[in-house]
């Protein structure tokens, strides 16, 4: 008999919920992510990371972070800083550096 865990590709991301603004300019270990649609945004990333030996999850609709997560998914896990930036038109965004 097959076990569900043997074929299920979707997994729940566990960790203590924290606003992304609380980890800006901190070096974190990005472990996993999931991109979903919400009633507020077409794309929302749920990001699982470790900071100071504690497991966290955060949510963001930052197009830059979502693009970077997709582009570098084969590199997971990786260590990065989460930075808050401003575009030329004055919009805020988050990015890895």
């Amino acid at each position: 008999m097959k076990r569900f865990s043997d074929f299920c590709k979707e997994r729940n991301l566990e960790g203590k919920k924290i606003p992304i603004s609380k980890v800006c300019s901190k070096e974190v270990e990005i472990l996993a992510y999931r991109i979903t649609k919400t009633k507020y945004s077409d794309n929302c990333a749920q990001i699982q990371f470790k900071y100071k030996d504690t497991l966290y999850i955060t949510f963001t609709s930052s197009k830059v972070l979502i693009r970077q997560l997709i582009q570098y998914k084969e590199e997971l896990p990786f260590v990065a800083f989460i930075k808050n930036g401003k575009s030329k038109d004055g919009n805020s965004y988050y990015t890895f550096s």
Side-chain angles (χ1 to χ4, degrees):
M1 180 73 65
K2 294 180 187 178
R3 291 189 180 275
F4 182 74
S5 61
D6 293 336
F7 58 86
C8 178
K9 304 289 186 227
E10 182 179 314
R11 61 179 198 151
N12 291 325
L13 301 181
E14 297 178 2
K16 191 175 178 181
K17 290 182 186 176
I18 187 171
I20 196 166
S21 60
K22 297 282 186 187
V23 292
C24 275
S25 300
K26 293 183 172 61
E27 190 175 60
V28 297
E29 183 181 348
I30 307 298
L31 303 173
Y33 73 93
R34 181 183 334 177
I35 297 173
T36 59
K37 292 183 186 225
T38 68
K39 63 182 178 180
Y40 303 108
S41 176
D42 284 341
N43 289 311
C44 178
Q46 178 183 11
I47 305 170
Q48 182 185 52
F49 65 94
K50 192 181 280 188
Y51 177 68
K52 293 189 176 181
D53 295 325
T54 302
L55 196 59
Y56 293 97
I57 57 170
T58 193
F59 299 86
T60 182
S61 59
S62 169
K63 291 177 184 176
V64 175
L65 272 184
I66 291 170
R67 185 184 72 240
Q68 289 175 324
L69 286 165
I70 293 168
Q71 184 175 357
Y72 301 112
K73 67 183 172 187
E74 300 300 322
E75 302 296 329
L76 286 169
F78 59 82
V79 175
F81 286 91
I82 297 177
K83 300 280 188 168
N84 190 351
K86 287 243 187 235
S87 64
K88 291 180 183 177
D89 58 7
N91 292 325
S92 293
Y93 64 90
Y94 292 103
T95 184
F96 292 123
S97 68

